Each structure stands twice: as structure tokens, then as C-alpha cells.
Amino acid sequence: MAGKLTILRQLARDDEGNMLAMGALGLIVVAALVGGGVDMSRAYKVQSRLQAACDAGVLAGRKAVAQSGFDSNAENEANAFFDNNFDEDEQGASGTTFTPTSDDDGNTILGTASTGVTATVMRIFGYSTIDLQVTCSASMGVGNSDVTMVLDTTGSMNDPLERGGDSKLSMLQDAMKSFYDTLSAATAGGNTRVRYAFVPYSSSVNVGHLLYELEPDYLVDSWQIQSRQPIFETTTVNNVDYYQDPVTTTGTGESAETLADEGYYGSASYDTQNECLSALPGNTGWSNSGSSSSDDQTIINDEGQQVTTTTVTQPQSRTEYSCVRVTTGKGKKKTTTYDPYYRTYTRNSYAYTYETADPVYVTVENSVFDHWLYTPVTYDVSDYKAFDPVTVKNGENGTDASYTWDGCIEERETTPAASFHYNSLSGVITPVSAIDLDIDTAPDGDDATKWAPMWPEVAYYRTSFVDYGRGRGRYDLSNNHDSLTGSQANSFCPPRAQLLQTMTEDAFDDYADALTAQGSTYHDFGILWGARISSPQGIFQDNVNEAPGNGGNVARHMIFMTDGAMSTSNAIQSMYGIEFHDRRVTANGVNLQNDRHTSRFLALCEAVKAKGIRLWVIAFSTGLTDDLESCASDNSAFTAEDSDELNSAFQEIASEVGELRIVQ
């Protein structure tokens, strides 16, 4: 370069060569301008690509952040996405670096990327490469969001995935808490509003408190339940009301004589009977002997009179004397004598006084329990629905028993149709006679449009004996309206549902920890009440449509989590009563019960999505069936085989709810 400048100076001093020098200099300037433009254009293009790759890297890294923060897994994801979006060979670059970091445990991912672009024209001016550097960052920027969690809390959630391991319910509780932590970290320091609602479900839903607090008249005052009645037998008894004044009677008496003692009188013996008789004392008459005793006794005699008797007894005795002939020896030694002999007799003499009082009777009718009659019973539930204790004769042998409502409900009027469909044009589920599947309409005063409190303690199914012959048989469900045999139906009430509200971490964790698992799987129950609680047009719309303080829009999400397929029973008490007897869903109490509930479920899923609610579905430790996948919004269905995958599913949803975005 120095040599070239020397030549130019020489030309400048040569007057004859001035024009040539000026032309050469002009060519160099033009070459620098054109070459610089070409190389800078290439550099700007590479820089744009480098920025896009940097953005993609930090986005991927932030999306991969889980409970452990910005760990090696998240860093690897960031690097992989950067590498996939920036090809050095294709860009004509070299020495490319990308460094993702985080100063806040993964809430915001920072990135720095650099590379060198090989110069073309500018190489003649001594510039072999053009160095480029960009920065980028990605953060979880949460908009206003309402999240309704519809949670399967059926009995199978108590089971562990492996012997001796934690229950599926405890895994769900941990995943819920991680979900909350993710969104809470994203909203820290901002004015974003995130609200949570919950609908635990099994064979019913616990929404009684929500309905009663909203409007007590949304619940019926009278409801028929498959139940039992005590049958009493009436008996008439004449009970004594009081006794008249007593009448006193006295008397005396003597007992029969008894031989109490006998023996010889002295040791003398006499040769003749007369001698013996002369030696005898005279017979004695009756005389008192021993101490007297007194006895009082009160009885009710055969005539129903009250008799009180006082008896004084005095023992008496008398003695009689005689002679007995005694012969001893044999032959010449035979001797006959006469010995004095006595017998002493005893008896009791007594005197008595008794009082007899005639009774005055009153007639009393008594009801005595005889048997149970199993039959539909209409109950007054006006106090029961208010959560007041209510006493009915359902205790042992028809005695009084008191019960208080737990809050689970029976649905309003429906129809036992075989299939149901959501009509996107009219926005309703058909057939429209199924008032229970109307998500938004409030009761209008007609009991058919109201809900009823589920009363498990008085729910009984009826049975009859099926004789197999040869002394064999069993009791089975009976079609009879009345029966003398039956059993209490199983009934399961999950934890209370909750309307949308902001929650502290402690409040959220407490709700998760309070979840329990019992009952059968009715997916349509959960999705129905998840829809009612989330609907901007429904009975809880004042809660749903409460405007956030920041004035922003609200994104609505529903997370439906289950660990199994539809599993119904016609003998338990569910949200539609005891199906074998009530037949609100099936035509005969038996056939196609699962299919009919599934048809309801799918129609409700479509109605939820039509409201602009993104419906997420998680199949936990079970297959993602066609029904579950169809229920979900697009790209919103997950399977989770273990706790890690369940947590990952919740984290994936959290990242979508959190509206992951680039922050410059």
C-alpha cells in the first residue's frame, strides 16, 4: 500500500502526469466506495441473521426453563436453536460464538452472539474480516390470564405409579404448585392479573356453596330421592293414669303342721306299756317359739290393682309323747321293753294387713318399627340446601338422624338421548330438552331448571331375590317401584369448587394440598361445571368478567387433567341420581351409559372452545384417547407417563399462558 502511495506522489509532482494521477485516484476512491458498500451490505445481512438466531436461542432457552431454573438443559436448548438458525458456511462467516446467561434464575434469558464476515472487495484495502456482535433477551411476559383447572379426583388418583411410590394425586399437587411458581415469577414486579378457578370432579361436583351464595332459589326446595321409609306397626296399650284411694283389709292365718323333730324321751325303759305311759309328761298345746318376722310386698294383681301387703309371722310348736315297743335278742334271750317317745310339730301363725287401690286407665297408641320400605321419597330440602342440620327418620329402626349438606349437587332436568351435538350456528347443545347441558342459562323459577342438593345418607337402591334353584340365588337390582330389600348407594363428594380469583402462593398450595381422591370417573361432570365457572355469558359472569385493574384483555384457559377413561356406574348416587332407578341418562338404567356420558362430554368440549377458551387436556398415566384429543384445542393435548412428564406438561402450558416473548 505504501508503494502505491509513493507512485501517486511522484505523479502529482509531474505536471504532465496530473490528469493520469487524478484519474487513478478517482478509480481507487470509487473502488473503495463500491467495495465497502458490497461488503457492508453482506455484513448487514449476516448481522440480521445473527440477531434472529440469537433471539431464537434465548426464546428456546426460556421455554425450556423448569423448576431448576436456567440449568444445563435450558442452556443446551438455547445453543441448539442458535446453531440451527445460523450456518457459518452459508453466511460466509467464521469464529461465531453464542453465550446465553440468566441473572434471575431463568425468568429472563440474556444472549450475546458474535461472528466475523469475510471481506471481498475491501480486502485490497487491508480489511480481511468485518466483526459483528448482537445482544438479545427473552422473558416470560404474562398478560392477564384466567386459568380454570378441571381435575380428575377419582379413586384411582390414590394409586401409585409403582409399588411403594407416591400417589398420582401427590404428583398432581406438585405439578400444580410448579405451574403457579412459573407464572408467579413471570408476573413479579408487574401489574398483570392471573386468576385461578378449580373444579375437582368424580361422580359429582361440589358447587353447592357457589350456587347458594349466588342465589338460594337456584336450588329446589323439594326433591325426590331413591330412598327408604320406616314402616311402623301401631299397638294400643292401656296405661295406668293414677290409682284410687286404697281400701284396708286385715286377717289372720296358720300354716299347715309339719313334723320338725322326733326321738326318745329320756333313757328309761319299762317292762310294761302302762308303766311307760305313767312316766310320760302330758302332751303340750301350740305355743310361740322363736322370733317373729315382718314382710312388706307391693304387687299389681290380675285385676290390675295395686296391692300392698304387710305380714307378721310367728313360729309355733307342740309336742306329743307316746311309748314304743322295743324287742331285742332271739330265742331264750329275747327281751321286750317299752320306751318313752316324742314327736314335736311346728307351724307358723301370721296376721296380715293389706291395702288395695283400684287403678284408673288411659288408652295409649304406640308405633313400633316393623320394617323398611325401599321406595322413592320426596324430601323437603329447603333447610338442607341452606347447610342447616336436618333430622329425618333414617336411623336404626326408624329413629331420628341428623344430616348436613356437603355441597355436591344433582343436575337439573335432562333427556336420555343417545347422542348430543354442539351446534356452532346456534351456539347450543342439542337436543335442547337437555336443560342440564345449557351452560349459560340461569333457572327461571321452574324446578326443572334448578339444581338439587345431593343427599347421600338417604340414597338407597332397591333389590329383589333372584332364585337360581337348588337353594341358590342372590339379591340384584330391582325394577320394582317398592321393595322390602335394598342397600345404601355409594356416593362420593369431591372437594369444593372455586370461582376465579387471584391467589397467594400459600392459598394456592393449601387448595392443592386439600384435594382428595374418591369416586368414579364422569368427565362430562367436570367439563360442564368448568364451562359454567369460566363462561363470560353464564350465571357467574360477574365474576368472570370482572375487569383487571390494568385495563388489559384477558386470555382464558381451561386445563382438563384426567388419569383414566370414562367409567360410570348405574348403582351409585351420582349427579343424575341412581341411574338404574332414575334413568335420566339411559333408557333402561343399564345400556350404553359410558357412551352417552361421552357424547355429552364431547359436545361440552366444543361449547367450551367456541367461547374462546383454550382447552388443554392432559392424559396422566393413561392413553390419550381419540375422545380426549378431540376435546382439546389445537396443539393442546399432552400425555404424561410419570411425574416428570406431568410437570413438563404443566410447564408447557404455563409457557403458553405466559405469552413468552422477546424483550429488547
Side-chain angles (χ1 to χ4, degrees), residues 141-191:
V142 182
N144 299 315
S145 297
D146 285 346
V147 180
T148 299
M149 294 188 177
V150 179
L151 306 172
D152 180 340
T153 56
T154 53
S156 59
M157 287 293 289
N158 282 321
D159 299 334
L161 293 180
E162 57 185 16
R163 190 171 184 178
D166 293 335
S167 70
K168 289 184 282 186
L169 180 62
S170 67
M171 297 176 186
L172 169 64
Q173 291 164 332
D174 289 342
M176 291 170 62
K177 294 173 186 178
S178 296
F179 181 91
Y180 179 90
D181 291 343
T182 297
L183 291 189
S184 179
T187 60
N191 64 348

CSV table of all heavy atoms in Angstrom, one decimal, residues 141-191:
chain,number,residue,atom,x,y,z
A,141,GLY,N,-43.4,-12.8,29.6
A,141,GLY,CA,-44.2,-11.6,29.8
A,141,GLY,C,-45.7,-12.1,29.9
A,141,GLY,O,-46.3,-12.4,28.9
A,142,VAL,N,-46.3,-12.1,31.1
A,142,VAL,CA,-47.6,-12.7,31.3
A,142,VAL,C,-48.7,-11.6,31.1
A,142,VAL,O,-48.6,-10.5,31.7
A,142,VAL,CB,-47.8,-13.3,32.7
A,142,VAL,CG1,-49.1,-13.9,32.8
A,142,VAL,CG2,-46.7,-14.4,32.9
A,143,GLY,N,-49.6,-11.9,30.2
A,143,GLY,CA,-50.7,-11.0,30.1
A,143,GLY,C,-51.8,-11.4,31.1
A,143,GLY,O,-51.6,-12.3,31.9
A,144,ASN,N,-52.9,-10.7,31.2
A,144,ASN,CA,-54.0,-11.1,32.1
A,144,ASN,C,-54.5,-12.4,31.7
A,144,ASN,O,-54.9,-12.6,30.6
A,144,ASN,CB,-55.1,-10.0,32.1
A,144,ASN,CG,-54.6,-8.7,32.5
A,144,ASN,OD1,-53.9,-8.5,33.5
A,144,ASN,ND2,-55.0,-7.6,31.8
A,145,SER,N,-54.6,-13.4,32.6
A,145,SER,CA,-55.0,-14.7,32.3
A,145,SER,C,-55.9,-15.3,33.4
A,145,SER,O,-55.7,-15.1,34.6
A,145,SER,CB,-53.8,-15.6,32.2
A,145,SER,OG,-53.0,-15.2,31.1
A,146,ASP,N,-57.0,-15.9,32.9
A,146,ASP,CA,-57.8,-16.7,33.8
A,146,ASP,C,-57.6,-18.2,33.5
A,146,ASP,O,-57.7,-18.6,32.4
A,146,ASP,CB,-59.3,-16.4,33.6
A,146,ASP,CG,-59.7,-15.0,34.2
A,146,ASP,OD1,-58.9,-14.5,35.0
A,146,ASP,OD2,-60.8,-14.5,33.8
A,147,VAL,N,-57.3,-19.0,34.5
A,147,VAL,CA,-57.0,-20.4,34.4
A,147,VAL,C,-57.9,-21.2,35.2
A,147,VAL,O,-57.9,-21.1,36.5
A,147,VAL,CB,-55.5,-20.7,34.8
A,147,VAL,CG1,-55.2,-22.2,34.6
A,147,VAL,CG2,-54.5,-19.8,34.0
A,148,THR,N,-58.7,-22.0,34.6
A,148,THR,CA,-59.6,-22.9,35.3
A,148,THR,C,-59.1,-24.3,35.2
A,148,THR,O,-58.9,-24.9,34.1
A,148,THR,CB,-61.1,-22.9,34.7
A,148,THR,OG1,-61.6,-21.6,34.8
A,148,THR,CG2,-62.0,-23.9,35.4
A,149,MET,N,-58.8,-24.9,36.4
A,149,MET,CA,-58.3,-26.3,36.4
A,149,MET,C,-59.4,-27.3,36.7
A,149,MET,O,-60.0,-27.2,37.8
A,149,MET,CB,-57.2,-26.4,37.4
A,149,MET,CG,-55.9,-25.6,37.1
A,149,MET,SD,-54.6,-26.0,38.3
A,149,MET,CE,-53.3,-25.0,37.6
A,150,VAL,N,-59.7,-28.1,35.8
A,150,VAL,CA,-60.7,-29.2,35.9
A,150,VAL,C,-60.0,-30.5,36.2
A,150,VAL,O,-59.3,-31.0,35.3
A,150,VAL,CB,-61.6,-29.3,34.7
A,150,VAL,CG1,-62.6,-30.4,34.9
A,150,VAL,CG2,-62.3,-28.0,34.4
A,151,LEU,N,-60.0,-31.0,37.4
A,151,LEU,CA,-59.1,-32.0,37.9
A,151,LEU,C,-59.9,-33.3,38.2
A,151,LEU,O,-60.8,-33.3,39.0
A,151,LEU,CB,-58.4,-31.5,39.1
A,151,LEU,CG,-57.6,-30.2,38.9
A,151,LEU,CD1,-57.1,-29.7,40.2
A,151,LEU,CD2,-56.5,-30.3,37.9
A,152,ASP,N,-59.4,-34.4,37.7
A,152,ASP,CA,-59.9,-35.7,37.9
A,152,ASP,C,-59.4,-36.1,39.4
A,152,ASP,O,-58.3,-36.3,39.6
A,152,ASP,CB,-59.4,-36.7,36.9
A,152,ASP,CG,-59.8,-38.1,37.1
A,152,ASP,OD1,-60.3,-38.5,38.2
A,152,ASP,OD2,-59.8,-38.9,36.1
A,153,THR,N,-60.4,-36.2,40.3
A,153,THR,CA,-60.0,-36.6,41.7
A,153,THR,C,-60.8,-37.9,42.0
A,153,THR,O,-61.3,-38.1,43.1
A,153,THR,CB,-60.4,-35.5,42.7
A,153,THR,OG1,-61.8,-35.2,42.6
A,153,THR,CG2,-59.5,-34.3,42.5
A,154,THR,N,-60.8,-38.8,41.0
A,154,THR,CA,-61.5,-40.1,41.3
A,154,THR,C,-60.5,-41.0,42.1
A,154,THR,O,-59.4,-40.7,42.3
A,154,THR,CB,-61.8,-40.8,39.9
A,154,THR,OG1,-60.6,-40.8,39.1
A,154,THR,CG2,-62.9,-39.9,39.2
A,155,GLY,N,-61.1,-42.2,42.5
A,155,GLY,CA,-60.4,-43.0,43.4
A,155,GLY,C,-59.0,-43.5,42.9
A,155,GLY,O,-58.1,-43.7,43.7
A,156,SER,N,-58.9,-43.7,41.6
A,156,SER,CA,-57.6,-44.2,41.0
A,156,SER,C,-56.5,-43.2,41.2
A,156,SER,O,-55.3,-43.6,41.1
A,156,SER,CB,-57.8,-44.5,39.5
A,156,SER,OG,-58.2,-43.3,38.8
A,157,MET,N,-56.8,-42.0,41.5
A,157,MET,CA,-55.7,-41.0,41.7
A,157,MET,C,-55.0,-41.3,43.0
A,157,MET,O,-53.9,-40.7,43.3
A,157,MET,CB,-56.3,-39.6,41.7
A,157,MET,CG,-56.6,-39.0,40.3
A,157,MET,SD,-55.2,-38.8,39.3
A,157,MET,CE,-54.4,-37.4,40.0
A,158,ASN,N,-55.5,-42.1,43.9
A,158,ASN,CA,-54.8,-42.5,45.1
A,158,ASN,C,-53.8,-43.6,44.8
A,158,ASN,O,-52.9,-43.8,45.7
A,158,ASN,CB,-55.8,-43.1,46.1
A,158,ASN,CG,-56.6,-42.1,46.8
A,158,ASN,OD1,-56.1,-41.0,47.2
A,158,ASN,ND2,-57.9,-42.3,47.1
A,159,ASP,N,-53.8,-44.2,43.6
A,159,ASP,CA,-52.8,-45.2,43.3
A,159,ASP,C,-51.5,-44.7,43.0
A,159,ASP,O,-51.3,-43.6,42.4
A,159,ASP,CB,-53.3,-46.1,42.1
A,159,ASP,CG,-54.7,-46.7,42.4
A,159,ASP,OD1,-55.0,-46.9,43.6
A,159,ASP,OD2,-55.4,-47.0,41.5
A,160,PRO,N,-50.4,-45.4,43.4
A,160,PRO,CA,-49.1,-45.0,42.9
A,160,PRO,C,-48.8,-45.5,41.5
A,160,PRO,O,-49.4,-46.5,41.1
A,160,PRO,CB,-48.1,-45.7,43.9
A,160,PRO,CG,-48.9,-46.9,44.4
A,160,PRO,CD,-50.4,-46.5,44.3
A,161,LEU,N,-47.8,-44.9,40.8
A,161,LEU,CA,-47.4,-45.5,39.5
A,161,LEU,C,-46.6,-46.7,39.6
A,161,LEU,O,-46.5,-47.5,38.7
A,161,LEU,CB,-46.7,-44.4,38.7
A,161,LEU,CG,-47.5,-43.2,38.3
A,161,LEU,CD1,-46.6,-42.2,37.6
A,161,LEU,CD2,-48.7,-43.6,37.5
A,162,GLU,N,-45.9,-46.8,40.8
A,162,GLU,CA,-45.1,-48.0,41.0
A,162,GLU,C,-45.2,-48.4,42.5
A,162,GLU,O,-45.5,-47.5,43.3
A,162,GLU,CB,-43.6,-47.8,40.6
A,162,GLU,CG,-43.0,-46.6,41.3
A,162,GLU,CD,-41.6,-46.4,40.8
A,162,GLU,OE1,-41.2,-46.9,39.8
A,162,GLU,OE2,-40.9,-45.6,41.5
A,163,ARG,N,-45.0,-49.6,42.8
A,163,ARG,CA,-45.2,-50.1,44.1
A,163,ARG,C,-44.4,-49.3,45.1
A,163,ARG,O,-43.2,-49.2,44.9
A,163,ARG,CB,-44.9,-51.6,44.2
A,163,ARG,CG,-45.3,-52.2,45.5
A,163,ARG,CD,-45.1,-53.7,45.4
A,163,ARG,NE,-45.6,-54.4,46.6
A,163,ARG,CZ,-45.6,-55.7,46.8
A,163,ARG,NH1,-45.2,-56.5,45.8
A,163,ARG,NH2,-46.0,-56.3,47.9
A,164,GLY,N,-45.0,-48.8,46.2
A,164,GLY,CA,-44.3,-48.1,47.2
A,164,GLY,C,-44.0,-46.6,46.9
A,164,GLY,O,-43.4,-45.9,47.7
A,165,GLY,N,-44.4,-46.2,45.7
A,165,GLY,CA,-44.2,-44.8,45.3
A,165,GLY,C,-45.3,-43.8,45.7
A,165,GLY,O,-46.2,-44.2,46.4
A,166,ASP,N,-45.1,-42.6,45.3
A,166,ASP,CA,-46.1,-41.6,45.7
A,166,ASP,C,-47.3,-41.8,44.8
A,166,ASP,O,-47.3,-42.3,43.7
A,166,ASP,CB,-45.5,-40.2,45.4
A,166,ASP,CG,-44.4,-39.8,46.3
A,166,ASP,OD1,-44.3,-40.4,47.4
A,166,ASP,OD2,-43.5,-39.0,45.9
A,167,SER,N,-48.4,-41.3,45.4
A,167,SER,CA,-49.7,-41.4,44.6
A,167,SER,C,-49.7,-40.5,43.5
A,167,SER,O,-49.0,-39.4,43.5
A,167,SER,CB,-50.9,-41.2,45.6
A,167,SER,OG,-50.9,-39.8,45.9
A,168,LYS,N,-50.6,-40.8,42.5
A,168,LYS,CA,-50.7,-39.8,41.4
A,168,LYS,C,-51.3,-38.5,41.8
A,168,LYS,O,-51.0,-37.5,41.3
A,168,LYS,CB,-51.7,-40.5,40.3
A,168,LYS,CG,-51.0,-41.6,39.6
A,168,LYS,CD,-52.0,-42.2,38.5
A,168,LYS,CE,-53.0,-43.1,39.1
A,168,LYS,NZ,-53.8,-43.7,38.0
A,169,LEU,N,-52.1,-38.5,42.9
A,169,LEU,CA,-52.6,-37.3,43.4
A,169,LEU,C,-51.5,-36.4,43.9
A,169,LEU,O,-51.5,-35.2,43.7
A,169,LEU,CB,-53.7,-37.5,44.5
A,169,LEU,CG,-54.3,-36.3,45.2
A,169,LEU,CD1,-55.1,-35.5,44.1
A,169,LEU,CD2,-55.2,-36.7,46.3
A,170,SER,N,-50.6,-36.9,44.6
A,170,SER,CA,-49.5,-36.1,45.2
A,170,SER,C,-48.6,-35.6,44.0
A,170,SER,O,-48.1,-34.4,44.1
A,170,SER,CB,-48.6,-36.9,46.1
A,170,SER,OG,-47.9,-38.0,45.5
A,171,MET,N,-48.5,-36.3,42.9
A,171,MET,CA,-47.7,-35.8,41.8
A,171,MET,C,-48.5,-34.7,41.1
A,171,MET,O,-47.9,-33.7,40.7
A,171,MET,CB,-47.5,-37.0,40.8
A,171,MET,CG,-46.7,-38.1,41.3
A,171,MET,SD,-46.6,-39.5,40.1
A,171,MET,CE,-45.7,-40.7,41.0
A,172,LEU,N,-49.8,-34.8,41.0
A,172,LEU,CA,-50.6,-33.7,40.5
A,172,LEU,C,-50.4,-32.4,41.4
A,172,LEU,O,-50.3,-31.3,40.8
A,172,LEU,CB,-52.1,-34.1,40.4
A,172,LEU,CG,-53.1,-33.0,40.2
A,172,LEU,CD1,-52.8,-32.4,38.8
A,172,LEU,CD2,-54.5,-33.5,40.3
A,173,GLN,N,-50.5,-32.6,42.7
A,173,GLN,CA,-50.3,-31.5,43.6
A,173,GLN,C,-49.0,-30.8,43.4
A,173,GLN,O,-48.9,-29.5,43.3
A,173,GLN,CB,-50.5,-31.9,45.0
A,173,GLN,CG,-51.9,-32.4,45.3
A,173,GLN,CD,-52.0,-33.2,46.6
A,173,GLN,OE1,-51.1,-33.9,47.0
A,173,GLN,NE2,-53.2,-33.1,47.3
A,174,ASP,N,-47.9,-31.5,43.2
A,174,ASP,CA,-46.6,-30.9,43.0
A,174,ASP,C,-46.6,-30.2,41.6
A,174,ASP,O,-46.0,-29.1,41.5
A,174,ASP,CB,-45.5,-32.0,43.0
A,174,ASP,CG,-45.3,-32.6,44.3
A,174,ASP,OD1,-45.7,-32.0,45.3
A,174,ASP,OD2,-44.7,-33.7,44.4
A,175,ALA,N,-47.2,-30.8,40.6
A,175,ALA,CA,-47.2,-30.1,39.3
A,175,ALA,C,-48.0,-28.8,39.3
A,175,ALA,O,-47.6,-27.8,38.7
A,175,ALA,CB,-47.7,-31.1,38.2
A,176,MET,N,-49.1,-28.8,40.0
A,176,MET,CA,-49.9,-27.6,40.2
A,176,MET,C,-49.1,-26.5,40.8
A,176,MET,O,-49.1,-25.3,40.4
A,176,MET,CB,-51.1,-27.9,41.0
A,176,MET,CG,-52.2,-28.8,40.3
A,176,MET,SD,-53.5,-29.3,41.5
A,176,MET,CE,-54.2,-27.7,41.9
A,177,LYS,N,-48.3,-26.8,41.9
A,177,LYS,CA,-47.5,-25.8,42.6
A,177,LYS,C,-46.4,-25.3,41.7
A,177,LYS,O,-46.2,-24.1,41.7
A,177,LYS,CB,-47.0,-26.4,43.8
A,177,LYS,CG,-48.0,-26.8,44.9
A,177,LYS,CD,-47.4,-27.6,46.1
A,177,LYS,CE,-48.5,-28.1,47.0
A,177,LYS,NZ,-47.9,-28.8,48.1
A,178,SER,N,-45.8,-26.1,40.9
A,178,SER,CA,-44.8,-25.7,39.9
A,178,SER,C,-45.4,-24.7,38.9
A,178,SER,O,-44.8,-23.7,38.5
A,178,SER,CB,-44.1,-26.8,39.3
A,178,SER,OG,-43.4,-27.6,40.2
A,179,PHE,N,-46.6,-25.1,38.4
A,179,PHE,CA,-47.3,-24.2,37.5
A,179,PHE,C,-47.5,-22.8,38.1
A,179,PHE,O,-47.2,-21.8,37.4
A,179,PHE,CB,-48.6,-24.8,37.1
A,179,PHE,CG,-49.4,-24.1,36.1
A,179,PHE,CD1,-49.3,-24.4,34.8
A,179,PHE,CD2,-50.4,-23.1,36.5
A,179,PHE,CE1,-50.1,-23.7,33.9
A,179,PHE,CE2,-51.1,-22.4,35.6
A,179,PHE,CZ,-51.0,-22.7,34.3
A,180,TYR,N,-47.9,-22.8,39.3
A,180,TYR,CA,-48.1,-21.5,40.0
A,180,TYR,C,-46.8,-20.7,40.1
A,180,TYR,O,-46.7,-19.5,39.8
A,180,TYR,CB,-48.8,-21.7,41.3
A,180,TYR,CG,-49.0,-20.4,42.1
A,180,TYR,CD1,-50.2,-19.7,42.0
A,180,TYR,CD2,-48.0,-19.8,42.9
A,180,TYR,CE1,-50.4,-18.5,42.6
A,180,TYR,CE2,-48.1,-18.6,43.5
A,180,TYR,CZ,-49.4,-17.9,43.4
A,180,TYR,OH,-49.5,-16.8,44.1
A,181,ASP,N,-45.8,-21.4,40.5
A,181,ASP,CA,-44.5,-20.8,40.7
A,181,ASP,C,-44.0,-20.1,39.4
A,181,ASP,O,-43.4,-19.0,39.4
A,181,ASP,CB,-43.4,-21.8,41.2
A,181,ASP,CG,-43.7,-22.2,42.6
A,181,ASP,OD1,-44.5,-21.5,43.3
A,181,ASP,OD2,-43.2,-23.3,43.0
A,182,THR,N,-44.2,-20.8,38.3
A,182,THR,CA,-43.7,-20.3,37.0
A,182,THR,C,-44.4,-19.0,36.6
A,182,THR,O,-43.8,-18.0,36.2
A,182,THR,CB,-44.0,-21.4,35.9
A,182,THR,OG1,-43.2,-22.5,36.2
A,182,THR,CG2,-43.6,-20.8,34.5
A,183,LEU,N,-45.7,-19.0,36.7
A,183,LEU,CA,-46.5,-17.8,36.4
A,183,LEU,C,-46.2,-16.7,37.4
A,183,LEU,O,-46.2,-15.5,37.1
A,183,LEU,CB,-48.0,-18.1,36.3
A,183,LEU,CG,-48.4,-19.0,35.1
A,183,LEU,CD1,-49.9,-19.0,35.0
A,183,LEU,CD2,-47.8,-18.4,33.8
A,184,SER,N,-46.0,-17.1,38.7
A,184,SER,CA,-45.8,-16.1,39.7
A,184,SER,C,-44.5,-15.4,39.5
A,184,SER,O,-44.3,-14.1,39.6
A,184,SER,CB,-45.8,-16.7,41.1
A,184,SER,OG,-45.5,-15.8,42.1
A,185,ALA,N,-43.4,-16.1,39.1
A,185,ALA,CA,-42.1,-15.5,38.7
A,185,ALA,C,-42.2,-14.6,37.6
A,185,ALA,O,-41.6,-13.5,37.5
A,185,ALA,CB,-41.1,-16.6,38.5
A,186,ALA,N,-43.1,-14.9,36.6
A,186,ALA,CA,-43.2,-14.1,35.4
A,186,ALA,C,-43.9,-12.8,35.6
A,186,ALA,O,-43.7,-11.8,34.9
A,186,ALA,CB,-43.9,-14.9,34.3
A,187,THR,N,-44.8,-12.8,36.7
A,187,THR,CA,-45.6,-11.6,36.9
A,187,THR,C,-44.9,-10.7,38.0
A,187,THR,O,-45.4,-9.6,38.3
A,187,THR,CB,-47.0,-12.0,37.4
A,187,THR,OG1,-46.9,-12.7,38.6
A,187,THR,CG2,-47.7,-12.7,36.3
A,188,ALA,N,-43.8,-11.2,38.6
A,188,ALA,CA,-43.2,-10.4,39.7
A,188,ALA,C,-42.9,-9.0,39.2
A,188,ALA,O,-42.3,-8.8,38.2
A,188,ALA,CB,-41.9,-11.1,40.2
A,189,GLY,N,-43.3,-8.0,40.1
A,189,GLY,CA,-42.9,-6.6,39.8
A,189,GLY,C,-43.8,-5.9,38.8
A,189,GLY,O,-43.7,-4.8,38.5
A,190,GLY,N,-44.8,-6.7,38.2
A,190,GLY,CA,-45.7,-6.0,37.3
A,190,GLY,C,-47.1,-5.9,37.8
A,190,GLY,O,-47.4,-6.3,39.0
A,191,ASN,N,-48.0,-5.4,37.0
A,191,ASN,CA,-49.4,-5.3,37.4
A,191,ASN,C,-50.3,-6.3,36.7
A,191,ASN,O,-51.5,-6.1,36.6
A,191,ASN,CB,-49.9,-3.9,37.2
A,191,ASN,CG,-49.9,-3.5,35.7
A,191,ASN,OD1,-49.4,-4.2,34.8
A,191,ASN,ND2,-50.5,-2.4,35.3
